[in-house]
Amino acid sequence: MVEAMTDTTADARLAAEIAAAAGELLLTLRVAEQGTVGGRELGRRGDHAANVFILDRLATDRPGDAVLSEESVDDPDRVGADRVWIVDPLDGSKEYGMPGRVDWAVHIALWESGRGLTAGAVAQPAVGAVYATHDVPVADHDDTRRLRIVISGSRPPAFLAAVAREVDADLVPMGSAGAKAMAVVRGDADAYVHAGGQWEWDSAAPVAVAQAAGLFCARIDGSPLEYNRPHPYLPDLVICRPDRADILMDAIAAHAPVSTDAPAVAMVRAYLRAVLTHDASHVRLAVDAWSVENGQRTGESGAEIRDRLERRDRGRSPRRIRDLTFREHPGAVVARYLLDVVAGGEPSTVSVTEHFTVPGAEIRSIVAIVEPHRKNS
């Protein structure tokens, strides 16, 4: 038992050391690129640089361990590994690319077979903080103020307004899952609730640290948070002070939807959201992904498809997706919907059927048929 504790502490210290160093790298890059690039491009550069650094360190210090990273191709062999590091090199890349924002983080967690999350660290470089499982203090919450629930600033769950009214809480938007979870760890907030879709790397390190701080952590339906699964989609979570868990979970059960998207459907939904928002940061595309529209090749790589999603076409501007339905097949999803667009200054509607090949944790191909909607004729 002593040896296991010693090993776990060493892993936690390593996670904290690497997360802190990656954070310093990100701060340096942010300053160096100031005035040159910003926004999504700065976030991409930060993601890439931090990922390379973290993978190099893990390969050196824990050469026999597997890694699941947001910025790397998923290796299915990790599912059978005894030890897997789950990494988000830059959580909150959107906020990182915005001057003055501090709500972004570096996540590094260790999952072990039969034990679950055993070590982890969350660095918040912009505020000079690193939280790790081996020395995180027990959270101290203020009972004299109203409950504070931190939520996604861009994708807040619709049901939380009703939950907040029921438990008499304020909803506080914030970027980065790590920043939100650490707000609860510090006692600045009482709970963090998310149901808009996430991946294992979004929550693994925050959950590891929150559990070490004595906080309640679960899915929104109360089931355990499980990691290193074949598909790393983990759409929702609750992190909260344990003495408020029952009342909060009861309110969520009364107002939250009873089901969530299957992983492949959630990936397609993220793609369709990017069609409207021109923000493809949450879209998982294989490096060699390709796309076709009405028999014409429109993308030869994941990077090209992502660039097309984020490019604003003045000739045809998508405005709204309506009547969306999904049909899931083994390794594939078919989406059918109506797309309201403005083309040449005139509004119109097209009917879209898209076939997505999703064999694992990435979209491999997209074949679309786009036709004028019958009501336009």
Side-chain angles (χ1 to χ4, degrees):
M1 178 63 71
V2 173
E3 181 180 352
M5 290 294 292
T6 301
D7 290 344
T8 299
T9 300
D11 287 328
R13 286 177 173 160
L14 177 64
E17 179 186 333
I18 296 176
E24 289 297 323
L25 172 65
L26 287 165
L27 287 174
T28 301
L29 178 65
R30 202 184 197 193
V31 172
E33 299 288 3
Q34 189 173 9
T36 304
V37 296
R40 295 173 192 155
E41 181 56 31
L42 179 58
R44 288 197 187 103
R45 294 188 187 188
D47 255 327
H48 176 73
N51 191 58
V52 170
F53 173 81
I54 293 168
L55 294 188
D56 283 349
R57 281 296 308 269
L58 290 174
T60 299
D61 290 271
R62 297 292 187 270
D65 295 352
V67 179
L68 169 64
S69 172
E70 178 184 19
E71 295 302 308
S72 299
V73 176
D74 185 20
D75 181 0
D77 289 343
R78 65 171 170 78
V79 177
D82 291 330
R83 290 165 52 94
V84 182
W85 293 89
I86 303 176
V87 173
D88 191 342
L90 174 53
D91 183 62
S93 56
K94 176 183 176 181
E95 289 75 19
Y96 174 77
M98 301 168 66
R101 292 293 292 264
V102 300
D103 46 347
W104 49 276
V106 178
H107 299 176
I108 301 179
L110 175 65
W111 174 93
E112 295 188 74
S113 179
R115 301 178 65 193
L117 298 174
T118 57
V122 176
Q124 288 189 262
V127 296
V130 179
Y131 305 87
T133 51
H134 69 291
D135 65 355
V136 62
V138 175
D140 183 19
H141 293 91
D142 183 359
D143 288 323
T144 64
R145 58 164 166 75
R146 281 165 56 93
L147 290 178
R148 292 164 58 88
I149 302 175
V150 286
I151 61 173
S152 169
S154 59
R155 293 176 294 157
F159 65 84
L160 274 183
V163 170
R165 286 192 298 269
E166 185 165 325
V167 302
D168 192 26
D170 293 321
L171 299 179
V172 182
M174 188 181 295
S176 169
K180 290 190 280 284
M182 295 309 100
V184 186
V185 167
R186 288 191 303 271
D188 296 341
D190 302 286
Y192 164 34
V193 181
H194 183 82
Q198 280 187 340
W199 300 83
E200 290 188 10
W201 46 76
D202 290 310
S203 66
V207 166
V209 173
Q211 288 176 334
L215 296 174
F216 172 86
C217 302
R219 297 281 304 275
I220 64 169
D221 63 1
S223 61
L225 291 155
E226 298 180 353
Y227 294 90
N228 194 39
R229 299 168 306 163
H231 198 296
Y233 182 66
L234 190 55
D236 54 66
L237 84 162
V238 177
I239 296 175
C240 74
R241 46 191 291 187
D243 60 331
R244 295 293 188 270
D246 287 345
I247 185 174
L248 181 59
M249 295 303 290
D250 286 347
I252 290 173
H255 299 287
V258 295
S259 62
T260 58
D261 288 334
V265 172
M267 294 168 65
V268 172
R269 195 183 293 278
Y271 174 91
L272 297 178
R273 189 181 300 117
V275 170
L276 298 178
T277 64
H278 303 289
D279 179 3
S281 56
H282 296 287
V283 180
R284 294 281 295 175
L285 293 163
V287 173
D288 57 350
W290 53 270
S291 60
V292 169
E293 182 176 312
N294 290 351
Q296 206 166 28
R297 200 83 163 192
T298 55
E300 299 290 348
S301 68
E304 186 176 344
I305 295 171
R306 182 173 287 106
D307 288 343
R308 183 168 56 83
L309 284 170
E310 296 191 339
R311 192 183 312 121
R312 294 184 181 272
D313 185 353
R314 296 180 181 178
R316 189 177 82 175
S317 176
R319 294 300 175 88
R320 185 171 61 142
I321 288 176
R322 296 187 285 120
D323 300 342
L324 174 62
T325 63
F326 295 106
R327 176 163 293 186
E328 186 176 10
H329 306 275
V333 174
V334 178
R336 291 185 172 88
Y337 56 94
L338 299 179
L339 179 63
D340 294 337
V341 301
V342 175
E346 295 294 327
S348 63
T349 301
V350 293
S351 175
V352 183
T353 300
E354 284 185 297
H355 296 249
F356 295 81
T357 302
V358 193
E362 299 169 319
I363 296 173
R364 182 58 54 85
S365 66
I366 307 163
V367 178
I369 300 173
V370 182
E371 303 172 296
H373 184 42
R374 289 191 304 272
K375 290 185 179 180
N376 290 338
S377 304

